[in-house]
Amino acid sequence: MKKIIIGLAITLSLIIIGTIVLYQRSTITYTRAQADTVAFVRERTNLDQVSDFHWFNGTETYLTVTGTNEEGQERIYIVQQDGGQITSFSAENTISEQEAVRMTREARDPVKILNARIGMIDDTPVWEISYRNENDRLGYYIVNLQTGEWLRTIDNI
């Protein structure tokens, strides 16, 4: 009986360690991109405190850092992955994540909101809200970050 308990403990320990290693390996790219983007933005702007990070993949990849600058103003910094061009906005001149999600709920009536991320489409800053519809299919609702104007919907993926 003692051997069985030791065997189960070892097996359980290996499963837990394997799960931890798998999780770390699966998130290392995201974690590294976040750290590199924050450092890049801090070097080139007056970003002080970071509040959020978004990774957006459209026709191009954009990495977004939101936070406050040294003057305490809420800012959004959108970094183009290829080339490193930074586009910056005052958060007070944009719609909030909550507002973008509310607009998505009203327009699409999703079963579940998966996430919201900031990016750029054709030089227009956007909120991309991903969701699951009633058929458990993936959808995206995209609105202009500055005006809240609906730009496009991609549904039933």
Side-chain angles (χ1 to χ4, degrees):
M1 184 68 167
K2 194 175 187 181
K3 288 182 180 181
I4 292 173
I5 293 174
I6 291 172
L8 287 173
I10 290 172
T11 302
L12 185 58
S13 297
L14 290 173
I15 290 171
I16 291 170
I17 290 170
T19 302
I20 291 170
V21 168
L22 182 62
Y23 176 77
Q24 287 177 336
R25 286 189 179 192
S26 67
T27 61
I28 196 160
T29 302
Y30 183 89
T31 304
R32 185 174 294 142
Q34 180 177 6
D36 291 349
T37 303
V38 168
F40 183 81
V41 171
R42 278 200 169 125
E43 287 173 5
R44 289 158 179 80
T45 68
N46 60 354
L47 174 66
D48 186 34
Q49 297 292 320
V50 174
S51 58
D52 209 353
F53 175 77
H54 303 276
W55 186 327
F56 176 86
N57 290 306
T59 54
E60 295 183 56
T61 299
Y62 292 90
L63 307 166
T64 302
V65 177
T66 63
T68 55
N69 62 16
E70 293 169 353
E71 292 82 37
Q73 300 166 326
E74 293 282 329
R75 301 291 300 174
I76 298 170
Y77 303 95
I78 303 174
V79 181
Q80 184 178 19
Q81 187 178 36
D82 293 334
Q85 178 182 350
I86 299 174
T87 305
S88 177
F89 301 96
S90 172
E92 67 183 31
N93 297 328
T94 64
I95 66 166
S96 68
E97 178 177 350
Q98 293 80 13
E99 180 66 13
V101 168
R102 183 192 63 75
M103 293 169 66
T104 304
R105 287 190 192 286
E106 287 177 3
R108 305 305 300 167
D109 193 28
V111 172
K112 181 178 181 182
I113 297 289
L114 301 175
N115 60 35
R117 61 180 80 79
I118 296 172
M120 298 277 274
I121 297 176
D122 299 328
D123 296 326
T124 302
V126 298
W127 272 112
E128 177 189 73
I129 312 299
S130 60
Y131 60 90
R132 291 276 176 197
N133 65 20
E134 66 279 350
N135 299 325
D136 201 35
R137 305 287 301 251
L138 181 62
Y140 295 95
Y141 191 76
I142 301 167
V143 296
N144 186 304
L145 177 69
Q146 295 173 301
T147 65
E149 175 188 1
W150 170 82
L151 298 175
R152 77 175 68 141
T153 301
I154 302 168
D155 210 0
N156 288 319
I157 299 174

